[in-house]
Amino acid sequence: MQPFSYIRPATPQEAVGAFAQAGEGARFIAGGTTLYDLMKLNIERPRHLIDVSAIEGFNRIETDGDRLRFEANAAMSAVATDPVVARDYPVLAESLWKAASQQLRNMATVGGNLLQRTRCMYFRNGAGGIYPCNKREPGSGCAAIGGLDRGQAVLGTSDTCTAVSPGDWPVALVAMDASIEVLGPNGTRSMPVADLYRLPDTTPHVEFTLDPGEMITAIVVPKTLAGRRSTYHKIRDRESYAFALTSAAVALEMNDDRVERARIALGGVATRPWRAPEAEEVLAGQRLTPELALAAGRAAFRDARPGRHNGFKVELGARTIADALRIAADRSRT
Amino acid sequence: MSVGPFSDRARVDALAKVRGEARSAADLTLPRLLYAMTVPSAIAKGTMTALPVEAALRVPGVVRVLTPDDFPAPPPFTEDGPPPPPPTLETTIAYRGQPLALVIAETLEAAIEGAETIRPTFASEPFACVMESAGAQRQPAEDVAFGDVPTALSFAASTVEAIYDSPTQHHNPLELIATVAVWEDGQLLIHESTQASSLVKGAVAGALRIDPARVHVRGATIGGSFGQKAVQRQTALVARAAILSGRPVKLVQPRGQIFHTATYRTRTRHRIQIGADAAGKIVAVQHHVEQEQSPGGYFAVSEYHRDVIRMYGVQNYLGTGADIRLDRQDPGYMRGTHPQPACFAFESALDELAYKSGRDPVELRLANDTRVDPQNGQPLSSRFLNECLREGARRFGWSRRSPEPGSITAPDGSQIGWGMACGIYQSATTPAIATLRIDARGRTRFAISGHEMGQGMHTAIAAVLLEGLDIDPDGLEVAIGDTRVAPQHMTAGSWGTNSVVPAAMQAAERMRSAFAELLGGRQVSGNLHRKLAAIRRPFLQIEVSTLGPGQDQSALEALRQGGFAVAESVYPGFSTFSYSAHFVEVRIEPGTRRIRVPRVVSIADCGRVVSPRTAESQVYGGVIWGLSHALREATEIDPRYGGYLNVDLADYVVPVNADIGEIEIGLVDQPDPLANAVGVKGLGQVSMVGISAAVANAVFHATGKRVRELPIRVEHLL
Ligand SMILES: Cc1cc2nc3c(=O)[nH]c(=O)nc-3n(C[C@H](O)[C@H](O)[C@H](O)COP(=O)(O)OP(=O)(O)OC[C@H]3O[C@@H](n4cnc5c(N)ncnc54)[C@H](O)[C@@H]3O)c2cc1C
Ligand code: SF4
């Protein structure tokens, strides 16, 4: 614990202004379900908290027109149960309601969700410098490599970090080609959700491409009929209330039993929300059979680099994709 | 004494718990309370060379930092004296997470911040923290043997041999370990989440060199204990802080630290060999077990043999084992204790034997019934395991099972497996001393030893008193868990309820005679309170004490002294055990191989059932935890660093509601004729023992794959 200041601005502009003014050690806070947790673990030590949760009307869910637009403060539970989202975009709804618990989903926002940090146990439990961790202490090394790595990533890893990008929602968004609207000291911009996340490379402590003081204001998902034939399939160590061992967000455009176009993104296995074009290519224009589905799943893991205890994620991940394809394809077109 | 069946009663503390009115130690707030936080060791072995506290003292609100210098030297160890108390603060480091200093402050935040500023320096030494570590010391344990195993095995018609592994696990009750110490007028009052208030009293008095008569311990409502909440290292630290500061001090240990300081179920490896004759009778068992152990740990290897030996009529048994001494904190008792991993191994091996010899697993067990304790030839006072087996098989529909592994598939392609296994646990007894007082104003107070941890002891005692006495139920107070009201036993090992219920029964009887004597034949109407009022007696009080089979007055004296006075269940002249039989259905997804357990039937023989509702609740909890032992829980240790890695409830995976299917419970409810006057036997432990083997056996039946290590996860079946 260290003392920090706390303010509740009334508008996004005010929030961004307050951030710029506060300078070093400022953090936005929304639902607080990630940030407070990380503060208790001594990972985040903010000096100024800028609470965006009181901003009026910053939680709107818009489903008219040719896109879905969720303002950053919309609760996970609100988006998950929105009738249009639930009916036409099961992949989005499922990625939310298969995450965390109802209590957390009521508190947590869809904006804050994008910026949650890894569950790598060496990262989280390393207070007092017990475990070397390049994310926590740049240059200190990585305890997970050569350690208890059952939960670690097999895709997108580097020699400095193998930590999994933990969120489910970002995976579904990446599959659906979503983008975010960002407000910063220099005005607004927009970028694909996929571009928000960096690979660990040699700087695993730099996780996001947001500039300091930039705030996510909304998430925008282009509408597509593929939404109806979609699913978020999540395999975990218990039936509920756990992060993914492997997960697959899948949405299909079908012509009878032929796949015109598949969108596939993976969670639980990669250092960032992982789009799987290799798997999509296997399916394009093909009749969907169980064998083909598994072949697509295996293609997604062609470049996997497992460690000591997480090799099973390669096969499990492939089968997760195969099952997700079946579930999505079985969903009616109407 | 003959006792009829007991009627269903609500938990006496249900309303208070649901309304949030039940108060546990951590809930206590007192005027001028100080908050404490410990500083854990970052290294696994070595010496603390410096403990700089200046920065901590500069944190606003920090009052004091206790260091090793603030504690008396440990008491000298004597062979026949009480067990040594846990150490206090020391500069020698025996395990990672060992407390090195205690910060006390005006607020919890200041205490935490103060503790975080303290970065001791260390001289580290090489350490070993898992079985495989270089430097682990292997220390053979005493053999437990009877008969002639090699000869019997050489004549066996079929034999199986395999190795089974059970992981490190931590109790993780929802309630954290909490101590509040108050020092006033030379008396130390400790409120603690403990199932062993008398032992805490003795340990604190010993560690701080205070006269035990001045130390009082109260373990009020406990939010789950399961063996974890016996004697903690933290208690004497908090007590010392209260004495030095002259203010009440509270410490609620964070879960991540509890993993490192409290006891845990240690990792074990069992090699089991079983031989059976042509008729399916088990002729010999060889069981070698090795466990991870602390340097001075007392958790005895030999006890892995105690119960399993007595499950079936086995004439030849060779039990061997070893402690692997490591730089860890002490392992200890966790629900199911030794029989938990031992039965996983033994009952899995028995399933392998059933397949190898072409027998039905239920038939195989039925055929190995016994009326005598095979180790010493004396009678078993009651053994209704075969009744459990038959009833369980009937309810589960076992006769419809096709034995071939992999032979049942659901329409969605899931593989279905039906497995079963049994459990056993000793039914030990502790003496009890109780006072019962009924007054003319509608109040009844029963003071006795015991702790309410959610298991329902409170309700069971109330059931017996209300069944036997015409008193006002709303005026009944059951005072337990407090060294000030009665000598307290450690409530553990499933000996709690079966020891206090007979005392309550006897107290009710004694009270009825006292009333008869008092009234001398006069007819006075109304309940007992009214009767007292009518004859102008303010109250009537009686005292009773009970002993375990074969115990004499010295056991009562030991109880009064706060000692450990438990009679283990191999009593003079007979042996008493509880039994369970579990039937489990698993469904395994065709692709990703997730294991679901839609259905469990579990039948237990716990003697007479005194409180049906809390007894069934015990079995639900046991079954669920058994499923967790089989499929979820394991504490991860990185041997390079020592300590534990997955130290919160997100990463230490316990089941959630969605993991639990249908659980059907049955209780044989046949009184044990010898163990005590009511015929009660223990239930808490035995309800869990054997479940994990039933799951593993079901997984084999579903898939043909025998998994011999726990927890069973998707990767085992991919
Ligand atoms: C026990 C537990 C289990 C969980 N299980 C899962 C799970 O299974 N799957 C899953 O996907 N997630 C899970 N989560 C994570 C949860 O989804 C996130 O904590 C939550 O979505 C974060 O949202 P929040 O509003 O609370 O964010 P906060 O904690 O308020 O903020 C998170 C981060 O985002 C920043 N931030 C917040 N809002 C903005 C904004 N508008 N612009 C810029 N930056 C912002 C903050 O500065 C902070 O760095 C779990 C969390 C917990 C505690
Ligand atoms: S994997 Fe990344 S987060 Fe985990 S210990 Fe290594 S560097 Fe740290």
Side-chain angles (χ1 to χ4, degrees), chain B residues 445-467:
Chain B
R445 185 172 198 262
F446 186 61
I448 190 168
S449 66
H451 301 79
E452 177 60 59
M453 309 171 284
Q455 85 278 39
M457 172 183 279
H458 208 139
T459 305
I461 292 172
V464 171
L465 295 176
L466 294 174
E467 207 88 23

Side-chain angles (χ1 to χ4, degrees), chain B residues 2 6 32 80 100 104 203 225 281 365 368 524 549 624 708:
Chain B
S2 88
F6 284 80
R32 305 181 65 236
D80 43 318
L100 303 175
I104 52 174
S225 179
K281 187 98 182 86
R365 287 167 174 87
N368 282 282
V524 184
I624 292 168
R708 300 191 183 90

Side-chain angles (χ1 to χ4, degrees), chain B residues 444-496:
Chain B
T444 304
R445 185 172 198 262
F446 186 61
I448 190 168
S449 66
H451 301 79
E452 177 60 59
M453 309 171 284
Q455 85 278 39
M457 172 183 279
H458 208 139
T459 305
I461 292 172
V464 171
L465 295 176
L466 294 174
E467 207 88 23
L469 296 168
D470 186 8
I471 51 172
D472 178 1
D474 295 332
L476 173 61
E477 179 201 353
V478 177
I480 52 177
D482 191 331
T483 58
R484 294 169 303 178
V485 304
Q488 296 294 316
H489 68 248
M490 170 157 86
T491 310
S494 291
W495 59 65

Side-chain angles (χ1 to χ4, degrees), chain B residues 70-76 82-89 188 199-212 215 231-237 239-240 243:
Chain B
D70 289 308
F71 290 85
T88 52
L89 296 181
L188 186 61
L199 298 187
V200 172
K201 172 182 162 119
V204 171
L208 299 182
R209 311 285 195 94
I210 314 177
D211 177 2
V215 181
V231 174
Q232 312 298 337
R233 192 166 181 162
Q234 75 179 36
T235 316
L237 309 187
R240 185 77 183 138
I243 292 171

Side-chain angles (χ1 to χ4, degrees), chain A residues 118 120 122-123 132-135 141-144 152 160-163 204:
Chain A
T118 185
C120 171
Y122 294 100
F123 169 75
C133 170
N134 288 324
K135 237 189 225 315
C142 170
Q152 299 300 109
T160 62
C161 181
T162 60

Side-chain angles (χ1 to χ4, degrees), chain B residues 660-690:
Chain B
I660 306 306
E662 200 180 300
I663 299 173
E664 186 179 337
I665 285 160
L667 300 167
V668 174
D669 201 6
Q670 289 288 333
D672 184 283
L674 298 177
N676 53 63
V678 188
V680 200
K681 299 194 285 187
L683 176 61
Q685 322 277 334
V686 79
S687 61
M688 173 168 175
V689 174

